[in-house]
Amino acid sequence: MTRSFDVIVLGLGGMGSSAAYHLARRGRRVLGLERFGPAHALGASHGGSRLYRQSYAEGESYVPLLLRARELWEQLAVDSGREVFTTTGGLIIGPQDSAMVVGSVRSAKAWDLPHEILDSAEIRRRFPTFSPAADEVGFHEREAGVARPELTVSVHLDLAAAHGAELHFEEPVLRWDVDAVGGVRVVTARETYMADRLVIAPGAWAPQLLADIGVPVRVERRVMYWFAPEGGTAPFEPERHPVYVWEDRTGSSIYGFPALDGPNGGAKVAFHEGGAPVDPDLLDREIHPEEVEEMRTYLRTRIPTLAGDLLKGAACTYSLTPDEHFVVSAHPRHPEVVVACGFSGHGFKFVPVIGEILADLAVDGTSRHPIDLFDAGRPRTADA
């Protein structure tokens, strides 16, 4: 006998776990399906830390979503008793006319967000780990911080289950389709399920499961590095060192974090650009010596003491749309299906509010949040 639910959530990483929680909290009968284990390290929702900022260079329309995400993270901390988010302050460094600095200023002014512009001397005085060039500036905001990805996913899963969601792990989905008499059918390696609505949040597996949504998703490999700072982690402690994004004159950038995990945990840094296209099932998880040296070379003139011994590295995936905006909408051909994919390397900071939006779309067919930018039917860019 085929089992039925109100909503099936396919994929229980950052977005899917949040959607399962919000749906279950609203009293829906939820089935969550995940091809791997809970809070796994095989996709994009891992690596110990994700950067949160409010003055969003990628577009002013993201700001209200970021403000709501912060509220939901604070509530998640209360409901779970876990430290899922830490405020550290944040610094965007680059030439005054760089895209990140200009865009951050624009968003801050549009939404009246508190911020400061620091010259290179003031950056060095306040944050002596950084060595900016004389013509570089810093955009500083107090409310930036760190979200904990594995912990956030685990807490969302725990709370979803506490509200009655049925969560299945190590159960890959073979196919899904819309039933002729209404509803959706999901076939897994174990069983067939029916539901009124389906939420698909497949992460790097979007090209396989959502090839027909009209927005191409390209998956690329990225590497995260944890270095032991020369002289110890004390200058990199969260009370003294902000999260940061540093854009150079070529438009390339790194992002990084304080030493969040004590004196033996190092400080994490990564390149935002430059990955190679990959099949997520064949992702190269080895961290190669030339990759480590490339990062060290980049750090030596910018954050010199961070270019110490490599403690560990980890490969992850970016799922990129042509315009690098998300896809969060009803499926263009199946209104019973809601999709969330293509988060383009900047999505995790939105996890709590994306889950809320997915629940809105699955239950009501609409959301009070501004999501037109994320519609699967939006105009295609020239390189799409």
Side-chain angles (χ1 to χ4, degrees), residues 35-36 42 205 208 219 221 277-286 317:
R35 64 186 294 157
F36 302 114
L42 300 173
W205 287 266
Q208 292 95 313
V219 180
R221 176 181 178 271
V278 295
D279 178 335
D281 290 316
L282 302 173
L283 180 66
D284 178 7
R285 298 189 179 277
E286 182 181 353
T317 55

Side-chain angles (χ1 to χ4, degrees), residues 2 9 37 42 60 129 159 194 206 216 237-238 248 261 284 289 334 348:
T2 303
V9 179
L42 300 173
E60 300 164 25
T129 53
L159 291 174
M194 295 292 297
E237 290 176 354
D248 65 25
D261 299 313
D284 178 7
H334 305 297
F348 199 91

